[in-house]
Amino acid sequence: MSNKTNIYFIGIGGIGMSALARYFVASGNKVSGYDKTPSEITKALENIGVKIHFEDEINAIPLEFKNRSSTLVVYTPAIPKSHSEFNYFIDNGFEVKKRSEVLGDITKNTFCFAVAGTHGKTTTTSILGHLLKECNVNMTAFLGGISENYNSNLIVNGTEVTAVEADEFDRSFLTLSPDYACITSMDADHLDIYGDASELKKSFKDFTKKIKPKGKLFVRNGLPIEGITYGIEDNSDYTAQNIRIENGTYVFDVKTPITILEDFKFNLPGRHNLSNALIALAMSVEYGLPRPQLAKALASYKGVKRRFTYQIKTDDLVFIDDYAHHPEEINAVHHAVREMYPNEKVLAIFQPHLFSRTKDFADEFAKALSQFDEVILLDIYPARELPIEGVNSSWLLSKISNQNKALISKKSLIKNIKLSSAKIILTIGAGDIGEEVKTIKKALSIAS
């Protein structure tokens, strides 16, 4: 890639794509791209000088990016194969690479930390990136979400070390060559790609073979893969113990294979987040970072946008937004809410993401959502998919055993939220429900 001065992105507004775009801007490359719709992410890229257009139109590609010898084209697998700009670059012999391949090329010549797993990747990578940065490691972290500490999906402090999300979607993580890798979870997901859960598990095993010869693999205790184990209050190699909650903050000790490191503080609620913090600490300790700096860094970690993000937090009303889009993630959010607010009424507003995922996990979604006191469903967000006959939100609603449930349109969302007496309000999902958050927050702030 060293001879390419221009980098053109097809699908530049994606969270992983935009992190790469920022990296190339920081490296001094000229960057431009296409995306389907304007968003906060595209606006932020435009603010740092990236030219973006929103029609799939060959004539809209800036002239200098039509130079084959100086342009690298990066695309996301989410774009359709009929995309005319994509086909223009292919037909004219440009170097065209998937985002994951480019990330693989960047990380190959660095000490690479890779975080894999069906849940927890973004939070874990952002904690790890923050710990490395605060301990002044010469590093870059590519995140799949916007870090609250840096208001960015890229953390840059040098180029010797990289921390990346190892994404199992489309088997993208098989392009990486990590020194240290971890696997946080291996629940069935992306069955539209894999067909069945056994193929997904096989791809995680294939990923472990990508680790460099003297590298290390960390796995959550109980997963069917050998490695350095981590877990909560168990017999793992690295375990969080003596856990208590003080003023809404976790305080805990970390037992390592050789010692006990005491009194870490962590501000994110939920045992799943505590597990994410623990593996980031375990990798950092194995890398050789000192406990005092790690403890100070962890205490200052603020989280990732749309990962249990407090939008309103008063004595009378709490509004939390979360990206959860798999039944296990919804269970984790539910557990976190009940741990923090044990006796309060909770309203969950859920937008299912993908027809295929809704079909594959309908019963599990129904069971997870039934745990809340009230449930509001929105229509399924299709993302890259066409509808599947019989798979819709009213079908999912019929499976939810909780009687305090409703399927409503986005237009009547505010009205229905105001009818609820719940003190805790949750918005959950990976589609465009995140775009509704500002409106809900404004309406609730006025109401209260």
Side-chain angles (χ1 to χ4, degrees), residues 113 123-129 131 182 230 275-285 294 298:
F113 290 89
T123 302
T124 303
T125 312
S126 75
I127 297 169
L128 180 59
L131 297 179
C182 75
Y230 72 97
S275 177
N276 295 334
L278 176 64
I279 182 51
L281 284 169
M283 292 171 97
S284 303
V285 169
L294 286 173
L298 190 67

Side-chain angles (χ1 to χ4, degrees), residues 183-398:
I183 300 175
T184 62
S185 50
M186 283 166 47
D187 294 306
D189 198 2
H190 304 303
L191 299 185
D192 54 325
I193 302 288
Y194 284 98
D196 65 55
S198 64
E199 280 299 306
L200 179 73
K201 283 179 180 158
K202 181 182 174 295
S203 77
F204 275 101
K205 289 195 168 143
D206 292 341
F207 167 67
T208 66
K209 293 169 190 162
K210 298 287 178 182
I211 297 168
K212 289 174 192 163
K214 290 183 181 173
K216 294 179 181 180
L217 174 65
F218 301 76
V219 294
R220 187 166 57 80
N221 200 358
L223 293 180
I225 287 180
E226 292 288 308
I228 298 166
T229 55
Y230 72 97
I232 306 287
E233 292 175 326
D234 61 11
N235 61 350
S236 301
D237 299 315
Y238 280 83
T239 183
Q241 56 186 35
N242 192 21
I243 301 164
R244 53 259 188 227
I245 295 175
E246 295 176 6
N247 300 322
T249 294
Y250 282 119
V251 184
F252 63 101
D253 302 336
V254 176
K255 181 181 158 294
T256 78
I258 50 172
T259 187
I260 292 174
L261 307 172
E262 294 183 332
D263 292 338
F264 282 93
K265 289 186 176 170
F266 183 61
N267 293 308
L268 263 59
R271 291 288 174 116
H272 62 300
N273 281 322
L274 190 57
S275 177
N276 295 334
L278 176 64
I279 182 51
L281 284 169
M283 292 171 97
S284 303
V285 169
E286 289 281 331
Y287 185 67
L289 301 180
R291 185 233 162 251
Q293 278 174 273
L294 286 173
K296 190 179 172 195
L298 190 67
S300 69
Y301 175 76
K302 293 177 188 169
V304 177
K305 284 189 168 67
R306 299 218 63 226
R307 303 305 195 279
F308 213 91
T309 303
Y310 283 99
Q311 298 291 335
I312 297 174
K313 193 179 186 182
T314 67
D315 291 341
D316 304 318
L317 182 69
V318 174
F319 172 29
I320 297 161
D321 178 44
D322 195 277
Y323 185 74
H325 56 284
H326 183 282
E328 286 304 320
E329 293 166 351
I330 295 172
N331 286 331
V333 169
H334 176 262
H335 190 278
V337 169
R338 297 297 187 198
E339 188 176 42
M340 289 295 156
Y341 306 101
N343 303 310
E344 302 295 349
K345 191 174 179 184
V346 183
L347 162 65
I349 301 149
F350 178 55
Q351 181 190 45
H353 183 261
L354 299 180
F355 294 104
S356 59
R357 187 182 280 124
T358 307
K359 175 175 168 281
D360 291 335
F361 301 108
D363 292 338
E364 291 86 348
F365 274 124
K367 194 176 173 190
L369 291 165
S370 296
Q371 300 172 100
F372 297 101
D373 300 298
E374 291 179 32
V375 181
I376 287 177
L377 275 192
L378 297 174
D379 282 330
I380 296 171
Y381 183 78
R384 55 187 178 268
E385 293 185 335
L386 293 169
I388 297 171
E389 196 178 334
V391 177
N392 52 47
S393 287
S394 56
W395 173 66
L396 178 58
L397 189 78
S398 71

Side-chain angles (χ1 to χ4, degrees), residues 167-193:
D167 191 358
E168 75 283 357
F169 172 72
D170 204 28
R171 296 177 173 83
S172 292
F173 57 2
L174 300 183
T175 60
L176 299 172
S177 315
D179 293 86
Y180 284 10
C182 75
I183 300 175
T184 62
S185 50
M186 283 166 47
D187 294 306
D189 198 2
H190 304 303
L191 299 185
D192 54 325
I193 302 288

Side-chain angles (χ1 to χ4, degrees), residues 1 4-9 12 16-33 41-52 65 72 74 102 106 140 142 152-156 159:
M1 293 186 297
K4 305 293 185 188
T5 51
N6 303 330
I7 319 291
Y8 189 83
F9 286 84
I12 197 165
M17 292 281 277
S18 58
L20 262 188
R22 283 180 176 276
Y23 170 81
F24 282 114
V25 170
S27 304
N29 295 86
K30 284 183 181 164
V31 177
S32 178
I41 289 173
T42 57
K43 209 180 295 175
L45 287 172
E46 287 172 321
N47 289 342
I48 58 168
V50 178
K51 280 186 189 153
I52 303 173
F65 291 86
L72 169 69
V74 186
V102 176
I106 291 168
T140 299
F142 296 88
S152 177
N153 49 357
L154 187 74
I155 306 172
V156 185
T159 54

